[in-house]
Amino acid sequence: MSNQSITMEEIVSLCKRRGFIFQSYDLYGGLQGLYDYGPLGCELKKNLKEAWWQDMVYSRHDVEGIDGSILTHKQALKYSGHEDTFTDPMVDCKDCKFRMRADHIDGKCTNCGSTNLTEARDFNLMFKTHYGPVESTDSTAYLRPETAQSIFTNFKNVLDATSRKIPFGIAQIGKAFRNEITPRNFIFRVREFEQMELEFFVKPGEDDTWHEYWIKERLNWWQQQGINPENLVLEPQKKDDLSHYAKATTDILYRFPHGLEELEGVANRTDYDLGSHTKNQAELNIQASVKDNPDSISKLQIQTPGEKPYIPFVIEPSAGLDRGVLALLVDAYCKETLADGKQRTVLKLKPSLAPIKVAVIPLAKNNPEIVAIAKEITESLQALKIGRIRYEDTGNIGKAYRRNDEVGTPLCITVDFETLEQEPKTVTIRHRDSTEQIRIDYLEITSYIQSQLN
Ligand code: ATP
């Protein structure tokens, strides 16, 4: 089944029914643009994060990680340009009062169809708050609109602490917040989301080559997560659409049910951010501490003996974790008719990303011997520390298989009456994608499972 025939409603319904994703505070009518990850969603999200960190940090020699604060210094976002330019154009319908993003419509209200709209005006997407007990302009802080700024402001700290040389990168996964005018399409456009960002610092002049390198790396990476290459498209942004900091950006688009849309952006941010934060330091030298000690101005630049100092350029692959989860769900979702004519829904997720690795099913939940063996198998698999193992005694075997297919469990182990009768003991192992069932020796279960999940 091609994902173009999958509707967002099917995905939303599966997510709620099986505990992947819920509307936040639905008990109180819900908060638009906010979602909570349930028991299976939080596993899938965690697995995707771990895959990113593994490949972007652990498997490389040139990347360090950080975990910065979410509350962000007002000055940092002034100098980064976000206070002035992190805006979307907003219009209101004069007839029904509906509010929309001007660049997402064709001159008509998306609610009532009226063309009686206000002029577009800029709306800043940052969430403002105050830190400390006194509310004043001095105590203003923002929830970060991207994780990147804490990487730039820590550039020198990381450099000093790790003795890295250019080129090298700093990676971060964390929450970001944008007060989107019209959050929509489930977890695609939300007001609170997670980003997986790498800021990769390079010499000016080498930036174009590194930009190309990261576009290819990132496209390959999404394919390695099991996404069908036909559903991924590279699209260079038009000059007019570029963010205020970017010289060039190529988006990695995915064929979501609502259309071909951005999953990740790979931007050449030039020396804009490090340059801006350096300028801020220079302007702040009116402060007494800096006036007395001008050397304390922290220039975000590289000074190698024998070389002219320079501010590094930055290549930024910035992926949305929530959009990644949505793309994985859509891409893995299949409806199939089996040989016996029965229909099933199956999530063909890569085993390393699947929320549940193995389900262990006792065929007769009232038979103490079968239950004891099933529990023992569950515990021995849990001891392998390979992720979530589910002991499943809630219903008949057919239903248990269907439930596990629907949430993408790669393998089910069934303990049945034959297990009790045979010596050596054997169990049934069922494969999710082929539905093939084989019997294997009880003593070989752990090694078999490990080989299959790898
Ligand atoms: P869009 O054009 O869709 O608003 P953007 O170009 O503003 O996205 P970036 O600033 O490049 O997005 O952010 C990097 C990534 O963060 C995006 O590719 C996307 O995956 C994710 N992202 C951005 N805004 C949101 C949002 N409101 N909800 C979910 N993910 C988001």
Side-chain angles (χ1 to χ4, degrees):
M1 184 166 171
S2 123
N3 67 341
Q4 281 157 304
S5 49
I6 296 165
T7 63
M8 194 70 100
E9 287 69 34
E10 282 173 284
I11 299 293
V12 174
S13 154
L14 171 77
C15 284
K16 172 141 201 219
R17 198 170 63 248
R18 294 299 185 201
F20 281 91
I21 298 164
F22 310 119
Q23 168 81 64
S24 297
Y25 299 100
D26 56 359
L27 204 58
Y28 288 91
L31 267 178
Q32 214 197 346
L34 297 181
Y35 288 91
D36 297 333
Y37 286 77
L40 298 190
C42 77
E43 297 292 339
L44 177 56
K45 193 179 182 191
K46 180 176 70 64
N47 294 341
L48 186 59
K49 265 195 245 195
E50 282 175 3
W52 188 90
W53 198 263
Q54 176 63 50
D55 294 332
M56 300 294 273
V57 184
Y58 297 160
S59 301
R60 301 186 61 94
H61 301 290
D62 51 5
V63 175
E64 302 285 347
I66 67 161
D67 184 8
S69 68
I70 285 171
L71 285 179
T72 304
H73 200 297
K74 181 177 155 50
Q75 291 289 337
L77 290 166
K78 174 171 179 259
Y79 280 88
S80 70
H82 285 81
E83 265 201 342
D84 293 331
T85 54
F86 198 64
T87 56
D88 277 337
M90 179 171 75
V91 290
D92 290 321
C93 173
K94 288 186 188 162
D95 292 335
C96 74
K97 312 293 173 217
F98 195 67
R99 188 159 274 181
M100 294 146 282
R101 240 176 93 165
D103 57 337
H104 280 175
I105 60 167
D106 58 3
K108 275 194 203 139
C109 172
T110 48
N111 188 42
C112 73
S114 163
T115 51
N116 192 11
L117 307 177
T118 60
E119 287 289 305
R121 59 207 185 280
D122 285 339
F123 172 74
N124 194 300
L125 300 181
M126 290 198 295
F127 280 96
K128 217 183 237 182
T129 185
H130 291 274
Y131 64 95
V134 182
E135 275 197 23
S136 70
T137 45
D138 285 347
S139 70
T140 299
Y142 294 104
L143 302 189
R144 62 185 178 190
E146 57 175 14
T147 70
Q149 293 310 320
S150 60
I151 297 185
F152 298 132
T153 51
N154 273 306
F155 171 71
K156 207 158 181 312
N157 291 335
V158 174
L159 199 64
D160 292 348
T162 62
S163 316
R164 283 282 178 189
K165 303 266 177 302
I166 299 291
F168 84 101
I170 304 178
Q172 178 168 215
I173 301 178
K175 290 259 178 171
F177 301 81
R178 297 182 188 179
N179 201 0
E180 297 279 355
I181 298 166
T182 38
R184 56 183 170 179
N185 295 318
F186 194 33
I187 53 170
F188 177 82
R189 185 173 301 287
V190 283
R191 291 185 168 133
E192 173 175 342
F193 54 98
E194 272 186 85
Q195 290 184 316
M196 307 186 285
E197 292 197 305
L198 172 73
E199 307 302 326
F200 197 78
F201 302 97
V202 304
K203 276 192 175 168
E206 295 179 2
D207 51 313
D208 291 338
T209 311
W210 278 108
H211 193 200
E212 285 309 310
Y213 166 86
W214 278 112
I215 293 166
K216 284 206 194 85
E217 281 288 301
R218 296 303 307 151
L219 179 67
N220 286 341
W221 188 82
W222 283 111
Q223 292 174 6
Q224 283 159 17
Q225 306 320 305
I227 293 198
N228 180 350
E230 286 176 14
N231 292 328
L232 292 164
V233 174
L234 289 180
E235 186 177 77
Q237 280 187 12
K238 294 190 197 82
K239 285 266 176 277
D240 287 351
D241 294 339
L242 290 173
S243 301
H244 60 277
Y245 47 72
K247 165 177 157 185
T249 298
T250 292
D251 289 335
I252 301 175
L253 311 180
Y254 177 74
R255 249 177 257 287
F256 289 100
H258 63 281
L260 190 59
E261 294 251 28
E262 178 177 337
L263 171 63
E264 169 162 356
V266 187
N268 180 343
R269 288 182 83 130
T270 69
D271 56 358
Y272 180 88
D273 297 273
L274 293 184
S276 306
H277 293 306
T278 297
K279 195 164 120 213
N280 158 46
Q281 290 293 309
E283 283 177 18
L284 285 186
N285 71 10
I286 37 166
Q287 280 178 11
S289 60
V290 178
K291 214 186 322 174
D292 296 344
N293 179 14
D295 288 344
S296 71
I297 295 177
S298 102
K299 293 201 180 84
L300 304 180
Q301 63 182 22
I302 299 289
Q303 195 141 23
T304 325
E307 264 190 347
K308 240 176 92 188
Y310 66 90
I311 295 179
F313 270 43
V314 178
I315 307 301
E316 176 197 71
S318 171
L321 181 55
D322 310 74
R323 288 187 190 179
V325 167
L326 183 57
L328 288 177
L329 287 170
V330 172
D331 223 77
Y333 189 93
C334 289
K335 274 185 175 166
E336 288 178 348
T337 307
L338 298 174
D340 60 7
K342 289 205 177 107
Q343 288 267 330
R344 71 162 181 168
T345 303
V346 52
L347 272 191
K348 293 189 174 173
L349 289 168
K350 189 178 169 180
S352 58
L353 296 172
I356 297 168
K357 305 302 175 195
V358 182
V360 183
I361 308 166
L363 192 66
K365 64 177 177 184
N366 299 327
N367 181 309
E369 266 183 285
I370 288 182
V371 167
I373 296 172
K375 288 200 166 150
E376 201 183 310
I377 295 171
T378 307
E379 281 164 22
S380 65
L381 292 175
Q382 284 168 335
L384 297 177
K385 300 188 194 300
I386 48 172
R388 187 144 181 222
I389 311 295
R390 182 151 80 180
Y391 175 79
E392 170 114 27
D393 63 356
T394 51
N396 71 31
I397 186 77
K399 277 193 183 149
Y401 286 156
R402 269 200 300 284
R403 185 162 45 239
N404 279 288
D405 284 346
E406 213 182 12
V407 302
T409 309
L411 298 162
C412 290
I413 300 179
T414 304
V415 179
D416 51 23
F417 290 100
E418 262 183 70
T419 311
L420 302 182
E421 286 156 12
Q422 291 166 343
E423 212 47 68
K425 289 188 173 37
T426 61
V427 294
T428 299
I429 298 201
R430 177 184 180 271
H431 288 253
R432 176 195 69 197
D433 295 351
S434 62
T435 71
E436 187 196 1
Q437 299 188 17
I438 56 163
R439 282 200 87 84
I440 69 157
D441 187 329
Y442 173 88
L443 296 173
E444 285 167 14
I445 294 175
T446 50
S447 60
Y448 183 81
I449 293 292
Q450 275 178 311
S451 72
Q452 292 299 307
L453 293 181
N454 287 331

